[in-house]
């Protein structure tokens, strides 16, 4: 019988840190994803977790301000179909460390992914504007934008009657900029000086996204086209079909694909 007087020991600092972060978060009670709850947070860096109907769906980080980052998710979800803000809740943890060196959200993602959680970390939920190259690609069935496409019935205050615009008339350029700011999803468009000369009047106090895009299309010269894709809206000076196009606005005409 032989006895060993030596062995190997591997200390995983990152695993230990991930376990500590997860344990600290597990002590917290998820709060409804509301603006009141978001604005009650301190503007500090940290990590957070989003839950849908009690299921952990996303882990993220805020390098500067937790409320600012979480509000972006609130806004994004508010403009989607097949999902409601009332289903959503969140917890967060202030982390006063060097994110570049520690990457605490990656530790949490790796831990929860092994348990079959955090599906939104891998389906495009956290993406911002994917860029023009993505416009002409087919959106995968499992992608967040395909499961929860943009809501064209989203209602917002008439941007012409609201500040910084005055009265009930504005240029097409002003309407485009104000609509882009009001929508809870990306509205990417090319700009031209001609839009500054086109005048628009709108009397309604509120608009749906669809109504605003119809007005924009009606006042845009041919061949300008507004296209609603699963995750965002684009507008360019050409008529074109897109693989994932949901609705096209062409000179006031609306075509659903």
């Amino acid at each position: 019988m032989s006895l060993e007087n030596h062995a190997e020991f591997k200390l995983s600092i990152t695993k230990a840190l991930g376990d500590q972060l997860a344990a600290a978060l597990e002590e917290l009670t998820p709060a409804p994803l509301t603006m009141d709850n978001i604005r009650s947070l301190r503007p500090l860096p940290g990590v957070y977790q989003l839950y849908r109907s009690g299921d952990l769906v996303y882990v993220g980080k805020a390098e500067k301000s937790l409320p600012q980052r979480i509000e972006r998710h609130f806004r994004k979800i508010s403009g989607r179909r097949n999902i409601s803000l009332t289903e959503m809740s969140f917890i967060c943890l202030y982390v006063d460390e060097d994110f570049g060196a520690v990457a605490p959200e990656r530790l949490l993602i790796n831990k929860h992914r092994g348990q079959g959680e955090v599906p939104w970390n891998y389906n495009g939920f956290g993406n911002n504007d994917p860029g023009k190259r993505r416009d002409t690609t087919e959106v995968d069935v499992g992608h967040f934008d395909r499961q929860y496409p943009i809501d064209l019935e989203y209602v917002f205050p008439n941007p012409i009657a609201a500040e910084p615009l005055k009265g009930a008339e504005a240029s097409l350029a002003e309407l485009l900029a104000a609509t882009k700011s009001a929508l809870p999803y990306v509205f990417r468009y090319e700009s031209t000086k001609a839009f500054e000369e086109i005048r628009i009047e709108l009397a309604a106090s509120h608009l749906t996204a669809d109504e605003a895009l119809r007005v924009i299309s009606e006042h845009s010269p041919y061949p300008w086209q507004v296209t609603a894709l699963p995750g965002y809206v684009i507008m360019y000076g050409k008529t074109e079909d897109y693989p994932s196009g949901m609705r096209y606005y062409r000179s006031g005409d609306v075509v659903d694909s």
Side-chain angles (χ1 to χ4, degrees), residues 73-256:
H73 297 319
F74 173 93
R75 184 170 167 81
K76 181 171 188 172
I77 293 169
S78 72
R80 298 291 173 142
R81 292 188 284 126
N82 306 331
I83 193 170
S84 169
L85 285 168
T86 59
E87 303 173 75
M88 303 300 300
S89 58
F90 74 99
I91 56 176
C92 61
L93 198 66
Y94 304 111
V95 180
D96 187 18
E97 293 290 346
D98 180 357
F99 274 108
V102 179
E105 90 289 355
R106 176 53 54 186
L107 301 176
L108 290 168
I109 291 170
N110 292 339
K111 178 179 179 63
H112 289 294
R113 187 184 188 186
Q115 300 170 356
E117 299 174 311
V118 297
W120 290 7
N121 280 98
Y122 298 92
N123 72 353
F125 169 72
N127 295 347
N128 296 315
D129 187 349
K132 291 186 67 172
R133 293 180 62 182
R134 182 64 184 273
D135 298 348
T136 56
T137 62
E138 182 75 31
V139 179
D140 295 337
V141 174
H143 196 280
F144 183 87
D145 292 343
R146 179 69 75 182
Q147 295 177 344
Y148 311 103
I150 60 173
D151 183 7
L152 293 174
E153 297 304 314
Y154 177 83
V155 179
F156 57 95
N158 180 349
I160 284 184
E163 291 294 337
L165 305 180
K166 306 289 186 180
E169 180 180 298
S171 69
L172 177 57
E174 289 173 312
L175 177 59
L176 280 164
T179 301
K180 176 184 177 71
S181 177
L183 290 177
Y185 36 81
V186 170
F187 179 17
R188 182 184 352 109
Y189 60 88
E190 287 182 329
S191 184
T192 173
K193 288 187 176 181
F195 291 165
E196 298 175 5
E197 307 299 323
I198 300 172
R199 307 304 297 179
I200 296 175
E201 292 186 9
L202 281 175
S205 61
H206 288 75
L207 298 168
T208 65
D210 178 69
E211 289 170 340
L213 296 177
R214 286 173 187 261
V215 171
I216 289 169
S217 171
E218 289 170 2
H219 290 80
S220 299
Y222 179 84
W224 284 84
Q225 170 183 296
V226 179
T227 305
L229 297 165
Y232 53 101
V233 178
I234 58 175
M235 177 178 172
Y236 294 110
K238 59 182 178 179
T239 300
E240 181 178 357
D241 289 336
Y242 293 85
S244 293
M246 299 191 306
R247 180 171 293 176
Y248 301 97
Y249 301 81
R250 296 164 175 159
S251 302
D253 294 328
V254 178
V255 179
D256 290 322

